[in-house]
């Protein structure tokens, strides 16, 4: 039996001694990160003390949280970065405690943020939401550097609800 074990060790040593082992070749071929240049990790920005600016366009969207962001007319706004400088991910904090995370390795866009919010609210009916319309985002570095506060409002601006206004006029007549 001892002869058998010595044979095995000879075989094992021969295999491990091969220089063209497939595992060694693959070690150096790790896929590069798919993040774009100029896109930051929010934690790195906090360490460096870099300030975030939020896209002002989010305040003008008058978007209902339970409707798909694809229904918005302004497609160009959706493509813009949510923050300057762009970040890979950011937490969106609602006043009642709910927190959602928007992620995009090429930089979080306004659409990414709206998609993350919509995922939480898409099953809610209009009357279930106390404040169903997005008013905008706020960055409070004193409270949390890595988080944006989501502001909501009761209704969209009159410019967004033109059709509803016409319906009311027809009922009054």
């Amino acid at each position: 039996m001892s002869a058998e074990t010595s044979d095995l060790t000879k075989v094992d040593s021969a295999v491990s001694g091969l220089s063209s082992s497939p595992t060694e070749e693959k070690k150096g071929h790790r896929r590069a990160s798919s993040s774009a240049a100029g896109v930051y990790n929010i934690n790195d920005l906090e360490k460096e003390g870099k300030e975030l600016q939020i896209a002002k366009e989010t305040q003008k969207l008058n978007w209902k949280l339970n409707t798909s962001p694809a229904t918005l007319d302004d497609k160009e706004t959706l493509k813009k970065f949510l923050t300057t400088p762009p970040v890979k991910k950011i937490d969106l904090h609602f006043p009642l405690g709910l927190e959602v995370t928007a992620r995009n390795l090429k930089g979080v866009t306004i659409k990414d943020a709206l998609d993350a919010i919509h995922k939480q609210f898409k099953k809610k009916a209009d009357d279930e939401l106390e404040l169903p319309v997005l008013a905008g985002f706020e960055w409070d570095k004193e409270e949390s550097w890595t988080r944006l506060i989501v502001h909501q409002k009761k209704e969209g601006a009159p410019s967004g609800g033109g059709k509803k206004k016409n319906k009311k006029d027809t009922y009054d007549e």
Side-chain angles (χ1 to χ4, degrees):
M1 191 150 150
S2 64
E4 288 176 27
T5 54
S6 64
D7 289 343
L8 288 176
T9 54
K10 286 180 185 174
V11 171
D12 290 343
S13 64
V15 170
S16 64
L18 288 175
S19 61
S20 61
S21 175
T23 53
E24 287 179 29
E25 287 178 28
K26 289 194 176 183
K27 280 183 185 173
H29 294 290
R30 185 162 176 197
R31 186 178 292 181
S33 173
S34 58
S35 61
V39 178
Y40 298 89
N41 182 327
I42 189 93
N43 297 323
D44 294 344
L45 290 178
E46 183 176 12
K47 285 177 199 159
E48 294 170 20
K50 280 194 179 174
E51 302 272 321
L52 282 179
Q53 264 90 39
I54 303 169
K56 289 181 173 57
E57 292 87 354
T58 57
Q59 297 166 15
K60 301 178 193 122
L61 289 174
N62 289 316
W63 172 67
K64 287 177 102 177
L65 304 181
N66 61 353
T67 59
S68 171
T71 60
L72 286 170
D73 296 330
D74 196 358
K75 304 287 185 224
E76 286 305 307
T77 301
L78 293 177
K79 294 176 187 171
K80 291 184 178 169
F81 289 123
L82 179 63
T83 61
T84 307
V87 292
K88 293 177 188 175
K89 75 170 199 166
I90 192 149
D91 294 327
L92 306 171
H93 179 76
F94 287 83
L96 293 173
L98 174 72
E99 195 160 294
V100 296
T101 304
R103 293 181 183 88
N104 186 339
L105 290 175
K106 293 180 173 69
V108 174
T109 62
I110 293 173
K111 183 182 187 308
D112 296 322
L114 299 187
D115 283 339
I117 294 168
H118 176 245
K119 191 173 182 182
Q120 289 296 319
F121 291 101
K122 65 183 174 188
K123 290 187 171 75
K124 299 259 190 231
D126 287 352
D127 57 352
E128 287 181 75
L129 297 170
E130 197 175 310
L131 300 167
V133 179
L134 178 74
F137 300 100
E138 174 194 354
W139 181 61
D140 185 2
K141 66 180 177 184
E142 304 300 320
E143 188 180 318
S144 173
W145 197 285
T146 61
R147 196 163 69 181
L148 296 182
I149 299 160
V150 179
H151 289 284
Q152 297 160 268
K153 55 188 177 182
K154 268 269 193 269
E155 290 177 21
S159 62
K163 289 178 185 173
K164 289 179 186 173
K165 199 172 185 182
N166 293 340
K167 284 183 183 176
K168 286 179 186 173
D169 290 343
T170 55
Y171 291 128
D172 291 341
E173 289 171 5

